[in-house]
Amino acid sequence: MKRPIAQLVGTGRYTPEKIFDNAYFETILDTSDEWIRERSGIRERRIAEEHETLAYMGAAACRQVLDEAGLTPLDVDGIVLGTASPDRLLPSTACDLQAELGAHNAAAFDVAAACSGFLYSLSVAEGMIASGTAENVLVVGGDRLSKIADYTDRTTAVLFGDGAGATLVQPAGNGKRGILSTYLKTDGRLAELLYRPGGGANHPPDEQMLQDRTYFIRMAGREVFKNAVRSMADACDRALEKAGVHGDEVDVLIPHQANIRIIEATAKHAHVPMDKVYVNVDRYGNTSAASIPIALDECVREGRIKEGSLVLFVAFGGGFTWASVLVRW
Ligand code: COA
């Protein structure tokens, strides 16, 4: 097993107070609480108010990490933000987050890997540490999907929520703690199974875009589901194999929270029993890049992850992108 280069130090999260429960969607769409719970496992999701921008939520999560690590924003030399719903297209939301946080010494940029964004960002941060580019890198996963979800489309609107989570990545030192293995994979041929057709430079905003609602997320749910199950299972195998670890040694599995049925299928394949799998999709819905760091923060605060715990993260999202990271906490 390789000696870790980088370790995760501390966690933080920000989730808006406002809740849309399934009953709310019954009032605006032809759907039911029963359908949503049975098909996805979701009961409610958090929805950002106007002032709760992605930069605001991300900065709040980062503040919590820094306060607990005894660092100030000026100690930070890198901010990597995984997101699919930036506050604006230019500059990156990491720049706005940096300004909001007052982390003026940090290089800051976004990573666009949809729901896999946090794990891709973690890998970028590990690379920055390995190359000596940075020593205190905030890795943030955040999304505000309520702004790009089509609230006239029952096949997508009910699934998504808002929030942000963060961790600090530092050099691992000589101990066993840190990132043990990482696996990243992409298949761009399947991009149009989960995407936003309009709004970018290919289709700048115009009247037609508003009429056709191409600004919003479009998803072929059943196809995404099948690919997610297959790819997340494969990603678990790869991260475990690389580190020479068997699934039954994993203390906590934190999968991307999109659908309880995808989570259960992934856990079964990885031979991790459900009592070692963290699930909060019922309370937050799919928060995309935020889902893993929010779950991680909850696990740490609930004492489910302790020093020495072996933690496996696995994600799947638009692109398609998928990823897994194995960490000794
Ligand atoms: N309420 C009621 N009925 C709904 C509905 C809703 N909110 N959304 C879809 N339906 C209907 C469909 O129209 C379809 O009706 P039909 O059979 O008459 O055509 C039926 O329910 C079944 O739809 P289907 O899409 O096959 O359901 P499903 O079992 O695949 O569940 C998802 C739908 C979206 C929950 C599921 O496919 C999923 O979770 N996909 C992956 C989502 C995901 O992970 N996305 C992000 C990747 S990170």
Side-chain angles (χ1 to χ4, degrees):
M1 195 184 292
K2 75 159 189 167
R3 222 183 39 230
I5 292 165
Q7 60 179 332
L8 281 62
V9 180
T11 61
R13 72 174 188 272
Y14 182 92
T15 52
E17 289 289 312
K18 182 165 148 188
I19 290 175
F20 280 178
D21 59 11
N22 291 346
Y24 168 75
F25 286 98
E26 287 178 341
T27 67
I28 61 165
L29 291 167
D30 177 17
T31 188
S32 67
D33 172 47
E34 192 191 357
W35 190 96
I36 300 170
R37 271 191 293 105
E38 277 179 9
R39 306 312 295 161
S40 73
I42 299 167
R43 283 191 290 114
E44 59 187 40
R45 60 296 281 148
R46 301 301 179 98
I47 304 295
E49 302 278 8
E50 278 317 302
H51 72 281
E52 291 170 312
T53 63
L54 178 57
Y56 176 96
M57 296 193 289
C62 289
R63 247 176 246 121
Q64 198 178 7
V65 176
L66 293 178
D67 286 350
E68 290 178 14
L71 296 177
T72 74
L74 293 176
D75 295 322
V76 177
D77 46 17
I79 298 173
V80 188
L81 167 64
T83 189
S85 50
D87 288 334
R88 39 190 184 174
L89 294 181
L90 183 73
S92 73
T93 303
C95 296
D96 290 331
L97 190 161
Q98 185 226 39
E100 175 103 21
L101 188 61
H104 311 307
N105 295 323
F109 55 96
D110 290 0
V111 166
C115 301
S116 310
F118 178 74
L119 297 187
Y120 271 64
S121 299
L122 211 47
S123 164
V124 171
E126 185 189 30
M128 290 168 78
I129 301 283
S131 64
T133 308
E135 295 201 330
N136 286 304
V137 185
L138 284 168
V139 175
V140 189
D143 266 299
R144 198 180 178 192
L145 296 183
S146 64
K147 285 286 183 190
I148 55 169
D150 185 349
Y151 276 62
T152 66
D153 175 8
R154 69 176 183 174
T155 69
T156 51
V158 301
L159 303 173
F160 302 124
D162 303 333
T167 187
L168 179 69
V169 178
Q170 290 182 332
N174 293 323
K176 288 188 176 165
R177 286 196 62 187
I179 297 173
L180 303 179
S181 61
T182 297
Y183 175 73
L184 306 178
K185 195 89 201 289
T186 302
D187 189 345
R189 292 169 299 184
L190 303 175
E192 294 187 3
L193 294 176
L194 173 50
Y195 75 132
R196 287 172 69 195
N202 282 355
H203 299 283
D206 60 11
E207 283 296 321
Q208 195 64 41
M209 193 185 89
L210 292 179
Q211 241 174 55
D212 298 343
R213 307 183 73 76
T214 50
Y215 171 77
F216 295 113
I217 297 174
R218 289 195 182 162
M219 180 173 73
R222 206 173 298 180
E223 287 308 308
V224 174
F225 187 98
K226 280 190 269 180
N227 279 279
V229 169
R230 196 180 313 128
S231 304
M232 284 169 77
D234 177 54
C236 286
D237 289 348
R238 299 302 183 103
L240 292 169
E241 248 167 53
K242 270 190 174 185
V245 167
H246 191 263
D248 59 18
E249 294 172 60
V250 170
D251 294 303
V252 183
L253 171 63
I254 302 186
H256 169 52
Q257 310 281 318
N259 185 310
I260 187 63
R261 293 182 292 137
I262 297 175
I263 293 172
E264 284 168 352
T266 303
K268 189 170 170 202
H269 178 90
H271 302 287
V272 179
M274 278 309 285
D275 62 352
K276 290 186 174 178
V277 181
Y278 195 73
V279 176
N280 64 13
V281 67
D282 52 325
R283 290 181 285 125
Y284 297 116
N286 180 351
T287 57
S288 187
S291 92
I292 289 179
I294 289 173
L296 171 63
D297 184 65
E298 290 190 339
C299 282
V300 170
R301 283 176 207 287
E302 289 169 18
R304 287 183 66 151
I305 293 178
K306 302 179 206 58
E307 199 171 326
S309 295
L310 195 57
V311 186
L312 178 61
F313 303 105
V314 61
F316 177 86
F320 289 147
T321 57
W322 59 104
S324 55
V325 176
L326 185 69
V327 169
R328 174 76 64 189
W329 195 259

